[in-house]
Amino acid sequence: MSGRDPDRRRALLDAADRVITDDGPEASMAAIAAAAGVTKPVLYRHFGDKSGLYQALADRHVRTVIGRLRPWLAAPGMDPRGRARAAISVYLDLISANLNLYRFLFLRAGSEDTAIRSRMTSLVRGLGEELGAVLAAEGAVADPVRAQVLGHAFVGMVQTTGDWWLEHPEVDRTQVVEGLVDVIAAAVSGARAPHAAGKD
């Protein structure tokens, strides 16, 4: 169908990105449509409805963040602290550089639409599962269930702390990164300790 043309959808999403970046999380659908040179009904038709537009934006940007983080989760030859530091730094850089888009998706779209909130939660949960699998596969956490618990805990902790940091720009980014790295390193070390003690 011409209404679902991938190139046209991409152009509409580009227009949405520009408006949200300029106007912030309160950007109107009318402004997005105007920037794209279409009416609101035409804008929605390309995505099914307003919820479909939200989902397309979420998929575009949340997947971009995950795609940038994924290489660091299993980066070969890096110690756990270095890996955590790199991944956290990438995440904080991405959300601070795209502040209005981040707030639009996680605050406005997520609060307005339960489907989009569930979609973003699912994407974030998938990253936690990936991290848990890496922790178990590399032997950083011997118990696979505990590895999953820690994987989800680390992802949630970094996301929540990132939200807080965005509201407190006076806090030095390095202090935030190192504080998170310390917690992650301590948790992983603690997860190893019982197994190591049992071997003595």
Side-chain angles (χ1 to χ4, degrees):
M1 292 176 58
S2 60
R4 300 298 177 90
D5 177 68
D7 291 336
R8 185 59 176 146
R9 281 169 57 91
R10 191 177 304 111
L12 293 171
L13 290 174
D14 288 344
D17 284 350
R18 291 194 299 272
V19 173
I20 295 167
T21 297
D22 290 342
D23 295 354
E26 299 307 317
S28 70
M29 297 299 106
I32 291 173
V38 299
T39 63
K40 277 203 298 183
V42 171
L43 175 67
Y44 293 156
R45 188 159 64 242
H46 281 271
F47 300 95
D49 55 17
K50 181 175 169 182
S51 178
L53 173 61
Y54 284 168
Q55 180 169 320
L57 285 167
D59 281 351
R60 170 183 259 201
H61 293 291
V62 177
R63 287 185 186 280
T64 295
V65 171
I66 291 174
R68 292 282 297 274
L69 289 175
R70 185 172 283 125
W72 293 107
L73 298 185
M78 290 189 72
D79 66 280
R81 290 186 68 92
R83 178 184 297 171
R85 184 177 294 111
I88 294 166
S89 296
V90 166
Y91 177 72
L92 294 182
D93 287 347
L94 283 170
I95 63 172
S96 60
N98 299 279
L99 179 58
N100 282 340
L101 282 164
Y102 181 85
R103 286 176 170 163
F104 179 89
L105 291 171
F106 281 90
L107 299 181
R108 177 178 170 181
S111 65
E112 287 184 9
D113 192 308
T114 57
I116 193 62
R117 184 165 62 248
S118 296
R119 178 63 176 159
M120 290 190 294
T121 298
S122 177
L123 290 168
V124 173
R125 184 180 298 129
L127 185 62
E129 291 173 358
E130 283 188 44
L131 180 54
V134 168
L135 292 171
E138 295 189 347
V141 180
D143 178 6
V145 173
R146 187 164 188 178
Q148 281 294 316
V149 170
L150 290 180
H152 286 85
F154 294 161
V155 169
M157 175 181 69
V158 172
Q159 183 183 11
T160 302
T161 304
D163 289 347
W164 172 82
W165 176 64
L166 292 176
E167 299 299 327
H168 295 274
E170 74 280 3
V171 177
D172 181 65
R173 173 183 168 283
T174 300
Q175 186 177 2
V176 175
V177 172
E178 292 306 315
L180 289 168
V181 169
D182 287 345
V183 172
I184 291 171
V188 171
S189 177
R192 287 196 189 110
H195 304 288
K199 295 177 181 178
D200 291 338

